[in-house]
Amino acid sequence: MSATYYDYYDGSKMFLFVSNRVGLPIDLVNFLIAQIAALCLARLFRKPLKLASAEFRHSVCLVIGLIMGYFCFGKQAIHLSVLPMLSYTLLKTVPQHLMGNIILSASMLYLSCLHLHRQIYHTADYTLDITGPLMVITQRVTSLAYSLQDSLAKKEINCNSTSCSTEKSMVEKMPSPLEYFAYTLAFQTLMCGPVVFYSDYINFIEGTRVDGVGKDKSVLEPSPRLAVIYKVGGSVAAALLYLTLAKKYPLAILEELTDPASEVSRSWSAVYLLWYAYLSTLVVRCKYYHAWLLSEAICNNSGMGFNGYDNDGKPKWDKMSNIDVFGFELAQNFRTAVASWNKNTNAWLRGVAYSRGGAAFRTARVYMLSAVWHGFYPGYYMTFFAGGIFTVTARNVRTVVRPVFLESRTKKLFYDLLSFITTRVAMTYATVPFVLLHLGPSLAFYGKLYYSLHFIAIGAMLLPASKRRSAASAQSNHELPQLSSKSNKDNFSIHEINGDSNGNLKIS
């Protein structure tokens, strides 16, 4: 590692010897140590601290969160306190009917300044950055502000029961300073999420559960042991897959597309380029799978995330689930893939952007907020643009093409296989700029493929409305039972815009 890297990283260097021995950057070693420690400490909330006072449980969450923040980020951790302090001050001073918009604007401005600082000054070797936790804190302070606004101001907004602050998520009173800062800095989800909504956090702290489960109820909360083991196992598997593939399919190879003399530019075919891009982006996704599954295991191990029982009476520990790995990797359409990725962020976008204001600009609000929330690298915006046109295209093509394959089960199976391959190609094509970040390599990647999927998608978006209506009518007359399905009535998917009866929208 370069001197510049170590000079820039402000976190603890106590375990530098471990970093040198295993060959991982010190910031990633610190992240793993912090998360493993959090997994162990989370158990305290189910045993020794289960019957402790709410104030003490708040204090433990806050203190551990502050220690973890300083351990991983050093002096940069001051931002973890400044943003909640700024937001709480605004929460106490601004008019109730404006607190959501004001706190959203202020927190996004603060986060944007940190994004720009990272983009300008961070080195290529540096991976763990303070903007990650700040993105999660931004979600928390803004979702709380809107929930409190809806409760205190009793304001009617353009929403339905699944797209805004529902009765369960309403916040009836202003949080105390301890409650607020413990919520925003709780160690279970500080490092990489998922976003926990205030009502869920308070229910966890005060011992209130779902389906009649709680301190004062006769029904006992089930043990999360199996869920924790399953998610830790999945996290370890994702890490091992990353370590196995990272050196074989480095993302840096795609950056060589900017050099016309490179082997990638001269000899790689479009098909092989897409195949390599799929594998290299899979490597990147493995890092997300590892972090999100481990974070979810930490939540479950502390007793957070219980979501009642399924139809077979089995406990569900999926309330803090941020990723459906198989749902994303095996998706047969763009909608399912997007709905399986970063699920709690989708719920946040629904509550603070999609359900606020008029219906005419819902899509633009969500895409713009999501883009700025991620940062200002050009690759983010290229991915969101491609994702936007692909989701609309997928709906149009499905409406026209799918009825042709519904005459027999064999044709339907062929259609499902074709849909799976098409979804993987489109998802790879759309997300490469997101991981490349910079404009030059992203344009070179699309240029190597002649922007083909962009042109195909835009052409499909222009399918005559009359043809889509006739195809939709034919589909309704010949619909076969689904081979496998599950309810999506609460999904928030952009794939359903301009035609979904529930008005749902989704973006990651």
Side-chain angles (χ1 to χ4, degrees):
M1 294 298 172
S2 64
T4 303
Y5 165 79
Y6 289 124
D7 290 341
Y8 184 79
Y9 181 61
D10 292 320
S12 172
K13 298 180 178 66
M14 181 187 307
F15 294 96
L16 188 59
F17 70 95
V18 177
S19 171
N20 294 331
R21 176 162 301 215
V22 300
L24 289 176
I26 183 61
D27 54 312
L28 292 185
V29 170
N30 285 351
F31 170 81
L32 291 174
I33 291 174
Q35 290 297 82
I36 293 172
L39 180 65
C40 298
L41 292 171
R43 185 67 178 170
L44 296 175
F45 285 82
R46 289 193 52 79
K47 293 296 182 181
L49 300 181
K50 188 171 185 178
L51 299 179
S53 66
E55 289 77 12
F56 189 76
R57 286 163 65 91
H58 280 305
S59 300
V60 173
C61 282
L62 176 59
V63 171
I64 296 177
L66 289 172
I67 294 173
M68 282 178 53
Y70 186 77
F71 173 75
C72 289
F73 303 105
K75 63 184 181 182
Q76 288 190 28
I78 189 67
H79 297 291
L80 302 180
S81 300
V82 172
L83 181 55
M85 289 173 60
L86 172 64
S87 300
Y88 192 68
T89 301
L90 293 174
L91 206 64
K92 300 283 285 186
T93 56
V94 301
Q96 292 179 357
H97 67 286
L98 295 176
M99 64 172 56
N101 292 338
I102 291 176
I103 291 176
L104 177 63
S105 300
S107 59
M108 289 300 297
L109 179 61
Y110 192 95
L111 177 63
S112 295
C113 292
L114 271 294
H115 275 314
L116 289 171
H117 180 273
R118 177 196 177 196
Q119 188 168 338
I120 295 171
Y121 294 109
H122 102 299
T123 67
D125 291 327
Y126 186 76
T127 54
L128 187 65
D129 186 80
I130 195 67
T131 56
L134 280 176
M135 290 168 71
V136 179
I137 291 175
T138 297
Q139 291 178 315
R140 293 178 183 177
V141 298
T142 53
S143 63
L144 172 56
Y146 276 114
S147 294
L148 197 60
Q149 171 183 300
D150 294 343
S151 298
L152 297 180
K154 305 296 182 183
K155 181 179 179 181
E156 294 292 333
I157 61 173
N158 182 22
C159 65
N160 56 48
S161 61
T162 62
S163 64
C164 65
S165 297
T166 62
E167 182 178 350
K168 290 184 178 180
S169 65
M170 289 288 187
V171 180
E172 298 299 334
K173 64 182 181 68
M174 182 74 67
S176 68
L178 176 61
E179 292 171 336
Y180 188 84
F181 286 98
Y183 165 62
T184 55
L185 296 169
F187 74 92
Q188 292 94 334
T189 58
L190 176 65
M191 296 300 296
C192 55
V195 57
V196 178
F197 296 102
Y198 184 76
S199 57
D200 295 326
Y201 170 77
I202 287 296
N203 290 340
F204 157 71
I205 289 294
E206 297 180 351
T208 305
R209 301 294 191 266
V210 298
D211 291 350
V213 178
K215 287 182 179 178
D216 57 343
K217 307 292 182 181
S218 58
V219 182
L220 297 177
E221 180 183 87
S223 171
R225 184 175 302 163
L226 291 179
V228 171
I229 293 174
Y230 173 78
K231 290 163 187 176
V232 170
S235 177
V236 171
L240 292 176
L241 188 59
Y242 170 77
L243 294 174
T244 302
L245 298 178
K247 293 184 179 180
K248 293 182 179 180
Y249 304 100
L251 195 66
I253 293 294
L254 296 179
E255 297 178 357
E256 296 180 10
L257 287 167
T258 56
D259 180 9
S262 67
E263 181 183 355
V264 180
S265 300
R266 289 186 294 103
S267 60
W268 281 21
S269 67
V271 173
Y272 185 75
L273 178 61
L274 275 173
W275 171 247
Y276 187 93
Y278 166 73
L279 293 174
S280 60
T281 52
L282 174 62
V283 170
V284 175
R285 290 198 298 275
C286 285
K287 293 197 295 185
Y288 286 95
Y289 296 155
H290 164 70
W292 283 342
L293 289 173
L294 182 56
S295 182
E296 188 180 346
I298 294 170
C299 290
N300 292 166
N301 204 33
S302 66
M304 190 186 303
F306 179 55
N307 201 23
Y309 297 87
D310 61 18
N311 294 332
D312 297 326
K314 297 180 181 179
K316 298 186 298 181
W317 287 90
D318 60 357
K319 199 165 192 177
M320 300 300 148
S321 176
N322 215 24
I323 182 66
D324 179 355
V325 177
F326 295 109
F328 182 87
E329 296 294 341
L330 302 178
Q332 295 179 9
N333 56 69
F334 217 79
R335 173 195 179 186
T336 302
V338 174
S340 301
W341 182 266
N342 211 355
K343 295 189 287 185
N344 282 28
T345 292
N346 298 321
W348 171 69
L349 289 169
R350 179 180 61 215
V352 305
Y354 183 70
S355 64
R356 308 285 162 175
F361 300 101
R362 284 176 172 175
T363 307
R365 287 198 304 270
V366 170
Y367 271 114
M368 182 56 65
L369 178 59
S370 182
V372 176
W373 180 71
H374 279 94
F376 298 99
Y377 284 103
Y380 295 152
Y381 297 84
M382 296 174 71
T383 289
F384 292 138
F385 174 75
I389 61 176
F390 287 173
T391 49
V392 177
T393 297
R395 174 178 53 81
N396 290 353
V397 172
R398 173 184 169 89
T399 302
V400 174
V401 174
R402 191 168 185 268
V404 178
F405 294 89
L406 295 180
E407 297 176 356
S408 68
R409 187 169 294 272
T410 302
K411 289 184 177 181
K412 177 63 166 58
L413 289 173
F414 174 76
Y415 171 82
D416 290 341
L417 176 61
L418 185 63
S419 297
F420 168 76
I421 296 173
T422 303
T423 300
R424 296 269 59 83
V425 170
M427 188 61 68
T428 300
Y429 183 93
T431 55
V432 164
F434 190 93
V435 294
L436 289 177
L437 297 178
H438 300 287
L439 184 62
S442 300
L443 290 177
F445 173 76
Y446 282 153
K448 180 71 174 178
L449 299 173
Y450 303 102
Y451 294 86
S452 52
L453 265 65
H454 283 88
F455 291 122
I456 293 173
I458 293 174
M461 289 175 63
L462 302 178
L463 284 173
S466 59
K467 188 173 183 179
R468 296 200 302 267
R469 284 195 297 268
S470 62
S473 177
Q475 178 175 341
S476 64
N477 293 332
H478 297 92
E479 186 76 38
L480 288 179
Q482 294 292 324
L483 298 181
S484 64
S485 63
K486 64 181 181 179
S487 175
N488 287 315
K489 66 180 180 179
D490 293 330
N491 282 353
F492 175 49
S493 176
I494 194 170
H495 186 73
E496 294 300 308
I497 196 165
N498 298 329
D500 179 61
S501 58
N502 293 327
N504 291 336
L505 178 69
K506 169 93 175 180
I507 186 173
S508 62

